[in-house]
Amino acid sequence: MLALLCKTRTMKCLLNQLSLLHPPNFPNYLKSTHILNPPSLRSGFWGSNSKINFQKSGFCSETKAMASAAKIVQDPESISYLSQQEAAEVDEILMGPLGFSVDQLMELAGLSVATSIAEVYKSDKYNRVLAICGPGNNGGDGLVTARHLYHFGYKPFICYPKRTPKPLYSGLVTQLESLPIPFLSVEELPVDLSSNFDILLDAMFGFSFHGTPRPPFDDMIQRLVALGNPNQKHQKSPVIVSVDIPSGWHVEEGDLSGEGIKPDMLVSLTAPKLCAKKFSGPHHFLGGRFVPPPIADKFKLNLPAYPGTSMCVRIGKPPQVDISALRENYISPEFSEDQAQTDPFDQFQKWFDDAVAAGLKEPNAMALSTTGKDGKPSSRMVLLKGVDKDGFVWYTNYESQKAQQISENPSAALLFYWDGLNRQVRVEGPVQKVSEEESEKYFHSRPRGSQIGAIVSKQYLVFVQSTVIPGRQFLHQQQEELEAKYSDGNTIPKPKYWGGYRLKPELFEFWQGQPSRLHDRLLYSPIETDGTRAWKIERLSP
């Protein structure tokens, strides 16, 4: 029975693949993809020279094929590059036997471009985007990119002078207008694009384009070229992002004249085209996470693996940065004494609430600095787990390095940094353990996995936090043993060596970043007034 079932499954898989070779109305379906001058499928889906073994690498056994499609590529020179004919054939297969529609691929491509842009050019610095869209599929990719960028927090504008009168494109225009995203005619564009836009999205022509660009795209290309001309370089030119290939480039030979667009970012789709080898900008990304194993095998594609759930992956190493040239000109509301709360705990709570409301990641993360009897300071990130008028609370292993230093010198410093708000808070003061009851209550409020994690370092061997261990497998082994031990759901006992600390502040400093390094720094220090403790507020030099 099992053998019959396996044979039936294999035959079904084979028939499914054979049906893909000649789907109903295949020629008409290809016509709907609007590919310019596509090569014919002369030898069927796989071609006469491709040696595909259905049982070993077809759809019924994805593992090996997926492995070939998801190789980790470190060297850009080893990545596969497609010719114009190969790129067109890949599109034919995707939109023919593999059942993708042009709007599906366009949606995935536009999302890939948008995520690539968001990876490098953050919306708080590069907010205004002009998408220059041509009449074909490349222009459609640009329209979809603009829609996603709008939802990512950017402010896109569209220049779409030659609209394609087909439902897919009309629908994209309707979607963009409903957001609303402004459409600008060529005549409405400013003479100096650098004064109005931070990013210029070149989505005029893709790999299917032949011939010489016609008006108004010939002029638009020259305007982008001019922005990269050293003789006409502005103080701050917008960055240029090209979709799949820089418009005006030869698909295989690149910028033949040497006077074409020089984009800062190139987002190759599906696989890089041969012209991408001539790209010399700082950011080359691959997008279009839709290449199935059969295509990877047929074209022997060697492509980088996409990390996690990302829709884009960088090709090559990030550009080297001159660390000394890195600087941020903070733009923030002024923080004056009359705006500050009289009590620093109230001021901290206000800023902490702002960080939470802004959606910042782990707003309770803080750098804890301690010093032992040897006078050597140590810092590490820990998580704030409680704050009130008595102080700031965190939890840890009482036999860790920081705990040892606190026992030798019970004074510490905390630092909160909220990048999205250009704010930081320093807190200094003496430290003491919280009560055993308070530690017990918090321990049992944690997820069971975290409770087990607190025990792992002490199980079987006398290893404690910050102590050298044999390897990660050692941790996994102990974790599995403890999970089995407490699998009955009974209460996990809190280890005696685990608990909380409380820092009682004797100093607060609130820092707000300002332009030209004229930062606001307000220092709170305690004073005694008629036997009552109060706080004195002083402004420190930036």
Side-chain angles (χ1 to χ4, degrees):
M1 184 66 184
L2 179 60
L4 177 61
L5 180 61
C6 291
K7 287 182 180 179
T8 303
R9 184 176 182 274
T10 302
M11 181 60 68
K12 183 178 180 181
C13 179
L14 178 59
L15 291 174
N16 285 340
Q17 294 189 70
L18 291 174
S19 68
L20 286 174
L21 303 186
H22 301 288
N25 303 319
F26 182 56
N28 293 331
Y29 187 80
L30 283 182
K31 291 177 183 178
S32 69
T33 63
H34 317 305
I35 298 177
L36 300 180
N37 300 320
S40 62
L41 295 176
R42 293 173 295 278
S43 303
F45 183 8
W46 306 115
S48 59
N49 295 324
S50 60
K51 299 178 180 179
I52 299 294
N53 184 307
F54 288 134
Q55 285 187 326
K56 291 184 178 180
S57 57
F59 295 127
C60 291
S61 180
E62 295 92 346
T63 305
K64 292 183 180 179
M66 286 300 294
S68 67
K71 298 173 182 175
I72 298 176
V73 180
Q74 301 293 343
D75 182 7
E77 293 299 320
S78 66
I79 292 175
S80 301
Y81 293 81
L82 297 177
S83 67
Q84 186 176 35
Q85 178 177 325
E86 289 171 332
E89 189 174 354
V90 168
D91 266 15
E92 279 193 359
I93 296 172
L94 285 170
M95 293 186 283
L98 291 183
F100 283 91
S101 62
V102 65
D103 53 325
Q104 281 181 309
L105 298 179
M106 196 173 288
E107 185 67 29
L108 292 169
L111 178 59
S112 298
V113 176
T115 54
S116 299
I117 290 173
E119 183 83 13
V120 176
Y121 304 114
K122 305 304 180 183
S123 61
D124 57 341
K125 298 179 182 178
Y126 297 87
N127 188 251
R128 304 163 301 170
V129 182
L130 174 64
I132 308 171
C133 301
N137 289 350
N138 196 260
D141 294 340
L143 296 175
V144 175
T145 300
R147 171 160 50 77
H148 285 295
L149 288 176
Y150 174 89
H151 292 298
F152 290 174
Y154 294 81
K155 186 177 181 181
F157 299 81
I158 309 291
C159 180
Y160 189 28
K162 298 290 184 181
R163 302 191 180 190
T164 301
K166 293 181 179 178
L168 169 59
Y169 298 88
S170 299
L172 291 175
V173 170
T174 300
Q175 294 165 19
L176 294 168
E177 290 176 336
S178 69
L179 286 176
I181 294 176
F183 279 74
L184 304 176
S185 67
V186 174
E187 293 73 25
E188 291 174 320
L189 292 177
V191 176
D192 183 5
L193 295 176
S194 64
S195 62
N196 292 77
F197 306 105
D198 306 304
I199 299 174
L200 299 177
L201 181 64
D202 163 29
M204 289 179 273
F205 301 111
F207 69 83
S208 299
F209 181 77
H210 294 273
T212 303
R214 299 178 181 180
F217 298 107
D218 55 350
D219 178 65
M220 294 301 302
I221 290 175
Q222 288 308 309
R223 293 173 76 172
L224 296 186
V225 170
L227 290 172
N229 189 330
N231 297 325
Q232 303 179 35
K233 195 75 174 176
H234 298 76
Q235 184 176 0
K236 183 181 181 299
S237 292
V239 297
I240 300 174
V241 178
S242 289
V243 178
D244 207 21
I245 69 168
S247 295
W249 281 31
H250 189 281
V251 179
E252 298 175 359
E253 301 298 328
D255 181 15
L256 292 174
S257 68
E259 299 177 355
I261 297 174
K262 293 178 173 54
D264 302 271
M265 173 183 283
L266 174 63
V267 185
S268 295
L269 297 174
T270 307
K273 313 309 177 284
L274 281 171
C275 66
K277 290 187 174 183
K278 308 295 178 65
F279 172 70
S280 59
H283 306 291
H284 187 191
F285 279 80
L286 176 64
R289 191 174 184 171
F290 45 69
V291 178
I295 286 184
D297 283 344
K298 175 176 172 59
F299 293 93
K300 297 180 174 58
L301 295 182
N302 191 32
L303 301 174
Y306 289 85
T309 58
S310 178
M311 288 299 297
C312 64
V313 58
R314 181 183 286 276
I315 294 178
K317 296 180 180 179
Q320 291 188 338
V321 177
D322 179 5
I323 296 178
S324 66
L326 291 175
R327 55 180 51 85
E328 179 76 25
N329 192 33
Y330 301 103
I331 306 298
S332 313
E334 291 186 353
F335 181 45
S336 59
E337 289 83 343
D338 61 344
Q339 296 172 327
Q341 302 291 319
T342 56
D343 189 312
F345 287 97
D346 294 337
Q347 183 61 48
F348 176 85
Q349 190 65 55
K350 182 178 184 302
W351 275 19
F352 184 83
D353 292 344
D354 289 344
V356 172
L360 302 186
K361 184 178 180 180
E362 292 194 320
N364 61 327
M366 58 185 186
L368 167 64
S369 298
T370 55
T371 305
K373 60 184 179 182
D374 58 3
K376 297 180 179 179
S378 297
S379 296
R380 76 288 290 163
M381 299 301 295
V382 298
L383 295 177
L384 175 70
K385 289 301 177 180
V387 58
D388 55 28
K389 298 300 170 110
D390 292 327
F392 293 74
V393 176
W394 68 93
Y395 293 86
T396 188
N397 188 311
Y398 284 152
E399 297 178 0
S400 63
Q401 180 198 41
K402 52 185 171 292
Q404 179 64 32
Q405 289 185 324
I406 289 172
S407 68
E408 297 172 356
N409 178 11
S411 294
L414 306 175
L415 174 64
F416 296 85
Y417 177 60
W418 298 307
D419 175 63
L421 300 174
N422 300 329
R423 290 173 175 173
Q424 60 179 312
V425 180
R426 291 197 308 113
V427 187
E428 297 177 2
V431 178
Q432 63 183 16
K433 291 181 179 180
V434 304
S435 67
E436 185 68 11
E437 292 75 19
E438 191 173 348
S439 292
E440 188 85 33
K441 181 179 179 181
Y442 174 71
F443 181 81
H444 291 297
S445 74
R446 308 173 85 205
R448 288 180 69 85
S450 298
Q451 295 179 41
I452 289 176
I455 305 174
V456 163
S457 63
K458 287 282 285 189
Q459 189 74 5
Y460 299 119
L461 294 177
V462 192
F463 287 153
V464 297
Q465 193 178 50
S466 305
T467 300
V468 175
I469 61 175
R472 185 162 186 82
Q473 186 57 37
F474 170 79
L475 297 177
H476 287 311
Q477 179 182 348
Q478 294 190 73
Q479 180 185 31
E480 291 170 2
E481 293 174 355
L482 286 168
E483 286 176 346
K485 180 179 180 180
Y486 297 110
S487 61
D488 56 5
N490 288 338
T491 300
I492 300 174
K494 182 189 78 66
K496 293 295 183 183
Y497 53 83
W498 188 96
Y501 285 103
R502 176 177 283 105
L503 182 147
K504 188 174 183 61
E506 292 183 345
L507 175 150
F508 284 84
E509 182 191 325
F510 293 85
W511 180 96
Q512 176 79 68
Q514 295 295 347
S516 302
R517 296 297 185 266
L518 299 178
H519 309 310
D520 290 318
R521 297 177 62 193
L522 297 188
L523 180 72
Y524 287 74
S525 53
I527 56 174
E528 293 288 335
T529 304
D530 299 329
T532 303
R533 191 187 198 201
W535 293 89
K536 177 176 63 175
I537 302 176
E538 298 174 296
R539 176 171 289 271
L540 302 180
S541 171

